[in-house]
Amino acid sequence: MSARFAHQVVWITGASSGIGAALARAFSREGALLILSARRADRLEALREELGRPDEVLVLPLDVADPRAIDEAAQQALAWRGQLDVLVNNAGVSQRSLVEETSMDTLRQVMEVNFFGAVQLTGCVLPSMIAAGRGHVVNISSVAGYVSTPLRSAYAASKHALRAYSDSLRAEVSGRGLWVTVICPGYIRTEISKAALRGDGTPKGEHDQAILSGLDPELAARRMVDGIRHRRRELSVGGRETWAIAIQRFFPGIVALLLPRTSPE
Ligand SMILES: NC(=O)c1ccc[n+]([C@@H]2O[C@H](COP(=O)([O-])OP(=O)(O)OC[C@H]3O[C@@H](n4cnc5c(N)ncnc54)[C@H](OP(=O)(O)O)[C@@H]3O)[C@@H](O)[C@H]2O)c1
């Protein structure tokens, strides 16, 4: 077994399914000590068992939309091995609703989970990383962090915000032994579209076709871990849909022309 993250403590939020669970497997293969967080503790326990290194995995249930719980979880995470090397802010929820059908509660919930949760968690662990003179914050944004498609106004806003925050953070901490990586997945085959919120806050309940035909999460996670190991500033992972980032950057007019003609689910 290669052990490129041996003795390193890696905290992954949203580890109960999809990309987060796949990241846990990929980091485990690299020898990392893992802290696994999400709301569904049973799934985290099952993953811990599956990984077969129970002493090297801490299950730390957490709702990242609960500010008080975040503070408490961060204390426990930092106390576990007395260090935190990598924080992966991966927990996320998507949205499938028109702007005029999206309640403020739903919009706030998406921002709480995808943006404020990640920001608060980062703030909790940053002082210890700065004091140690090392640490890596990995924020999972999205292609939607560049390209705001229909039915995803709150989601795209949260992912743009997370990317913007990460860029400021990187500029502040670079040169102090800290690294910040932003990952922008395209379509990855996970539960993201099934769990996506409709305008009234209820889950959509079924998968999008694009997500069902997306990249295998285990393969995506391997690419992500490679990017993290190489301390990439930013990386996109997915299929051709990730080209949208470059097209948006260099030809925004084309994207604006095409988006109203797409028929997102
Ligand atoms: N799949 C894609 O195509 C895609 C594309 C771009 C970006 N992303 C991003 O990738 C990340 C992972 O998503 P995924 O695709 O793996 O979807 P997923 O299978 O639905 O996983 C989402 C994870 O987030 C956790 N989560 C949701 N709300 C939470 C909360 N309030 N507190 C704590 N954990 C919470 C879920 O766990 P619990 O329900 O147990 O809490 C679950 O583990 C997200 O940030 C997503 O926006 C995914």
Side-chain angles (χ1 to χ4, degrees):
M1 180 182 79
S2 66
R4 293 173 292 189
F5 283 87
H7 311 299
Q8 294 199 35
V9 179
V10 178
W11 187 4
I12 304 168
T13 66
S16 62
S17 84
I19 294 170
L23 281 172
R25 293 185 191 98
F27 272 116
S28 182
R29 283 192 296 273
E30 302 285 357
L33 302 162
L34 289 171
I35 304 173
L36 307 178
S37 289
R39 290 165 302 177
R40 288 170 292 181
D42 53 337
R43 285 212 188 191
L44 298 176
E45 287 295 352
L47 180 57
R48 177 170 178 254
E49 200 161 310
E50 177 200 319
L51 295 176
R53 311 158 59 222
D55 295 342
E56 297 175 352
V57 178
L58 174 68
V59 165
L60 192 54
L62 171 65
D63 180 348
V64 297
D66 178 347
R68 193 179 303 166
I70 290 180
D71 285 343
E72 285 168 15
Q75 282 178 23
Q76 289 180 55
L78 291 170
W80 183 48
R81 299 282 169 142
Q83 70 184 71
L84 181 67
D85 299 282
V86 184
L87 169 67
V88 186
N89 284 307
N90 167 75
V93 63
S94 194
Q95 167 216 7
R96 295 293 183 272
S97 54
L98 295 168
V99 166
E100 69 265 30
E101 291 168 355
T102 306
S103 73
M104 282 306 293
D105 280 351
T106 301
L107 195 148
R108 286 184 204 282
Q109 173 70 6
V110 172
M111 290 299 291
E112 285 295 342
V113 175
N114 296 355
F115 180 66
F116 288 113
V119 165
Q120 189 185 339
L121 212 50
T122 303
C124 286
V125 305
L126 201 59
S128 80
M129 287 183 170
I130 290 172
R134 67 165 201 280
H136 197 149
V137 176
V138 179
N139 287 331
I140 308 294
S141 177
S142 171
V143 170
Y146 279 96
V147 185
S148 302
T149 55
L151 304 184
R152 291 159 180 76
S153 51
Y155 181 70
S158 71
K159 294 299 187 179
H160 273 70
L162 186 59
R163 194 168 59 76
Y165 169 86
S166 306
D167 287 348
S168 287
L169 175 65
R170 184 185 306 107
E172 290 179 16
V173 299
S174 69
R176 293 201 265 170
L178 270 64
W179 305 90
V180 178
T181 296
V182 172
I183 300 180
C184 295
Y187 297 131
I188 315 292
R189 210 163 50 243
T190 70
E191 295 174 22
I192 192 81
S193 52
K194 199 173 171 194
L197 303 183
R198 293 189 293 208
D200 62 2
T202 56
K204 180 181 175 230
E206 51 189 50
H207 294 286
D208 290 357
Q209 200 47 51
I211 294 291
L212 283 178
S213 347
L215 190 67
D216 169 38
E218 306 300 324
L219 178 56
R222 284 202 293 279
R223 290 188 191 163
M224 290 177 190
V225 170
D226 270 351
I228 295 165
R229 191 172 66 85
H230 288 109
R231 296 171 170 166
R232 291 274 302 273
R233 186 169 46 80
E234 189 166 317
L235 74 147
S236 56
V237 176
R240 275 182 298 187
E241 69 283 359
T242 59
W243 299 356
I245 294 175
I247 300 172
Q248 168 75 38
R249 230 183 231 159
F250 299 114
F251 307 104
I254 293 181
V255 175
L257 202 68
L258 291 178
L259 278 182
R261 301 180 196 189
T262 58
S263 50
E265 294 156 285

